[in-house]
Amino acid sequence: MRKGDAGNRAGMLDYPSGRRGRSPQGPVAGASNLTAKRDNSCQKVQNLMEAVVERENMVKALRQVEANKGSAGVDGVCVQALRASLRENWPRIKEELLEGRYQPQPVRKVEIPKPGGKGMRQLGIPTVMDRLIQQALNQVMQPIFDPDFSESSYGFRPGRSAHQAVLKARGYAAAGRRWGVDMDLEKFFDRVNHDILMARVARRIGDKRVLKLIRRYLQAGLMVGGVVSPRTEGTPQGGPLSPLLSNILLDDLDKELEKRGHAFCRYADDCNVYVKSKRAGQRVLASITRFLTVRLKLRVNVEKSAVARPWDRKFLGYSMTFHSQPRLKVAPSVVDRLKAKLRELFRAGRGRNVRTQIEELTPVLRGWVNYFKLAEVKGIFEELDGWIRRKLRRILWRQWKKPKTRAKNLMKYGLGKERAWKSATNGRGPWWNSGASHMNQCFPKSFFDRLGLVSMLHQLRKLQYSS
């Protein structure tokens, strides 16, 4: 449908059907005008819904939802069908949004294992239409709230990252703050008090239609097995608006820590405060726990929270050494999780050739190294490289099965006949043989390099050199 069509004049979006360009960076026009009208008294923003449904904002939101992909919600409509649904339904939905009548659909409950395999994390997957509207809301609300967020808040904010938070934490330790208060908020996204959160949102948003819509999203039922359960607390993870809402709520914590003069880093609900003594840390943990309980109705997990040395804890997957100028390293528990994930891939690849197995490993290894590219202790990357190659040699040994086949293949890859037969009939298990000299000689690092196996150590050095 073109811009001049009657349907578009009625409010339907003119969505391009060809190649999608990259989403525009920064706030959309409507949001910029709204934020420009704010004065130093933090006047509430009115008429925000008009900016939400503005064509430019909606097109940007559509592109973002399509780029994020994701599964269908309770209505079964997938991301690929979103444009067709919009062409049919957008005039009605836009009218309902502007009149404050739009009712979100329930979210689909999905559970995924928590890192480390301890329990399950509950996600709520909205329909693609609700994801689109939430994304459009997020795009106009982010520029309103973000400028007043703390400099020590790094999660889900434009131009900020987990890497910046990790570097700041190392800087605090290097400056003599050698004790960390590691606070773990118990089931944060499941325990958010709706009234307290909405009061924080209403500090800056005066458009009652937007406030009602956000509350409806918070209270949208959770569908499990065709039955919808109402929600009275929590902001389900899985929607584009949840990260911003979490920052809005926890901004009160940031402001309290700033008022008390504390050095801290917060990424979403992961918050560490850095102090100079254990006693000071214990006082901070006790007082902030009271603040969170009374002011925000949030619980601190006493078992997981602690006052400890930074090198004895992890923050966003990183730890550090105990030196006066600490060096960053990958936390041991994170290495264990990577190995567990790779073991699953290796088990699934026992019947495949090694090249196919390596192709499956590549995106996992590249993504992991890219996140941990700040690591200054590199030994673990070299150790992982060797462990992965040994796992691949083990797959080869298991695939050969019979001694005759093993001897034949060992000779094929350069081993003498006598040694090949001796190695093939040694009676040892696959893991022992995968680390033995005969398999290392036949399948050295160069063999796996030719097959395209990523060297984690080489990739790390390359990323650090380029930066």
Side-chain angles (χ1 to χ4, degrees):
M1 183 172 290
R2 298 179 181 177
K3 290 184 180 180
D5 293 346
N8 193 51
R9 289 196 299 269
M12 183 179 288
L13 296 176
D14 179 22
Y15 292 117
S17 57
R19 182 177 64 87
R20 297 198 303 271
R22 184 173 293 180
S23 298
Q25 301 298 311
V28 296
S32 298
N33 293 337
L34 285 167
T35 53
K37 293 177 183 178
R38 292 195 292 115
D39 57 25
N40 292 331
S41 63
C42 295
Q43 181 180 351
K44 291 185 179 183
V45 178
Q46 306 291 339
N47 303 320
L48 188 62
M49 189 61 82
E50 280 72 17
V52 172
V53 300
E54 185 181 56
R55 181 184 177 278
E56 182 184 351
N57 186 50
M58 293 302 299
V59 170
K60 180 182 175 183
L62 173 64
R63 289 173 176 165
Q64 187 61 52
V65 170
E66 289 179 326
N68 291 342
K69 299 179 181 178
S71 57
V74 296
D75 59 357
V77 178
C78 61
V79 173
Q80 292 78 7
L82 178 56
R83 288 180 180 242
S85 179
L86 282 167
R87 292 189 182 100
E88 180 180 351
N89 299 308
W90 176 244
R92 172 184 59 80
I93 292 173
K94 179 180 179 180
E95 181 181 343
E96 290 178 358
L97 288 168
L98 290 172
E99 293 180 0
R101 296 186 291 107
Y102 181 80
Q103 290 287 346
Q105 294 192 60
V107 297
R108 181 169 62 87
K109 181 180 177 180
V110 175
E111 290 186 333
I112 60 172
K114 288 184 177 180
K118 297 179 180 179
M120 302 295 287
R121 174 168 288 140
Q122 181 177 292
L123 302 182
I125 308 301
T127 64
V128 289
M129 186 65 73
D130 283 326
R131 292 212 291 273
L132 174 69
I133 297 170
Q134 284 194 36
Q135 180 64 33
L137 276 168
N138 181 71
Q139 288 167 184
V140 297
M141 288 174 61
Q142 185 87 39
I144 295 171
F145 286 94
D146 193 83
D148 295 318
F149 285 156
S150 169
E151 284 297 312
S152 297
S153 169
Y154 295 90
F156 310 117
R157 297 182 61 192
R160 289 176 167 260
S161 67
H163 286 164
Q164 293 173 334
V166 169
L167 290 172
K168 191 68 174 180
R170 183 188 63 177
Y172 287 139
R177 298 180 180 274
R178 312 283 282 177
W179 288 90
V181 181
D182 186 355
M183 289 183 293
D184 182 89
L185 296 179
E186 185 176 332
K187 295 182 179 180
F188 168 72
F189 286 94
D190 297 332
R191 295 266 168 82
V192 169
N193 183 287
H194 290 173
D195 292 336
I196 292 176
L197 172 57
M198 290 308 303
R200 271 67 184 165
V201 176
R203 289 172 179 172
R204 309 301 294 274
I205 305 297
D207 192 327
K208 292 183 178 180
R209 298 166 298 177
V210 171
L211 296 174
K212 286 180 180 178
L213 181 59
I214 294 173
R215 185 176 280 277
R216 285 171 183 164
Y217 274 121
L218 291 173
Q219 295 176 338
L222 196 67
M223 181 173 284
V224 185
V227 179
V228 178
S229 303
R231 294 184 65 92
T232 57
E233 64 177 0
T235 169
Q237 292 174 266
L241 196 57
S242 290
L244 175 60
L245 295 179
S246 70
N247 273 337
I248 291 172
L249 180 64
L250 290 175
D251 187 56
D252 274 26
L253 170 63
D254 298 340
K255 295 298 192 289
E256 182 68 18
L257 291 170
E258 288 177 340
K259 186 173 73 173
R260 300 183 186 189
H262 290 311
F264 70 99
C265 298
R266 184 179 66 79
Y267 191 96
D269 59 334
D270 199 345
C271 183
N272 279 9
V273 183
Y274 296 90
V275 295
K276 294 184 177 181
S277 71
K278 184 176 182 179
R279 188 174 179 181
Q282 291 170 337
R283 287 198 303 268
V284 170
L285 180 58
S287 61
I288 295 301
T289 297
R290 285 193 298 272
F291 172 83
L292 288 167
T293 303
V294 175
R295 288 281 297 276
L296 301 181
K297 307 299 182 187
L298 296 172
R299 297 181 190 174
V300 173
N301 190 322
V302 179
E303 293 181 357
K304 293 184 178 180
S305 300
V307 178
R309 298 291 195 179
W311 46 89
D312 292 330
R313 306 287 288 184
K314 66 179 174 70
F315 179 54
L316 301 177
Y318 282 86
S319 186
M320 62 183 78
T321 65
F322 60 86
H323 303 94
S324 58
Q325 293 298 314
R327 293 184 296 159
L328 293 173
K329 63 179 184 178
V330 184
S333 61
V334 177
V335 176
D336 292 340
R337 286 208 301 270
L338 174 66
K339 284 186 173 182
K341 183 174 184 177
L342 295 179
R343 284 190 187 99
E344 292 178 6
L345 294 177
F346 287 129
R347 276 195 293 270
R350 286 177 182 174
R352 304 172 191 165
N353 64 54
V354 173
R355 187 183 295 275
T356 302
Q357 181 74 72
I358 288 172
E359 288 175 357
E360 291 190 358
L361 292 175
T362 297
V364 177
L365 301 181
R366 287 191 185 279
W368 199 84
V369 176
N370 189 58
Y371 180 76
F372 289 104
K373 64 184 179 181
L374 298 181
E376 298 160 290
V377 179
K378 300 180 175 65
I380 190 59
F381 293 86
E382 185 175 10
E383 179 187 321
L384 284 168
D385 279 340
W387 182 81
I388 291 168
R389 290 194 296 270
R390 185 171 179 178
K391 281 285 189 180
L392 293 170
R393 294 188 191 104
R394 184 190 188 195
I395 289 175
L396 288 170
W397 187 264
R398 292 175 68 100
Q399 288 177 345
W400 294 341
K401 294 182 180 178
K402 297 180 180 180
K404 182 178 179 180
T405 308
R406 289 168 178 168
K408 179 182 177 181
N409 280 296
L410 289 173
M411 286 187 282
K412 177 183 175 181
Y413 286 98
L415 225 58
K417 183 177 180 180
E418 182 179 349
R419 188 180 174 201
W421 274 103
K422 184 177 180 180
S423 300
T425 57
N426 61 30
R428 301 275 191 166
W431 183 245
W432 186 92
N433 278 283
S434 65
S437 60
H438 52 272
M439 287 296 283
N440 277 275
Q441 182 177 327
C442 291
F443 303 100
K445 179 180 180 298
S446 58
F447 171 83
F448 296 106
D449 289 343
R450 288 194 296 271
L451 293 180
L453 178 64
V454 173
S455 166
M456 300 180 78
L457 181 61
H458 176 74
Q459 182 74 9
L460 176 68
R461 288 172 173 166
K462 184 178 178 180
L463 287 170
Q464 291 181 340
Y465 178 78
S466 62
S467 61

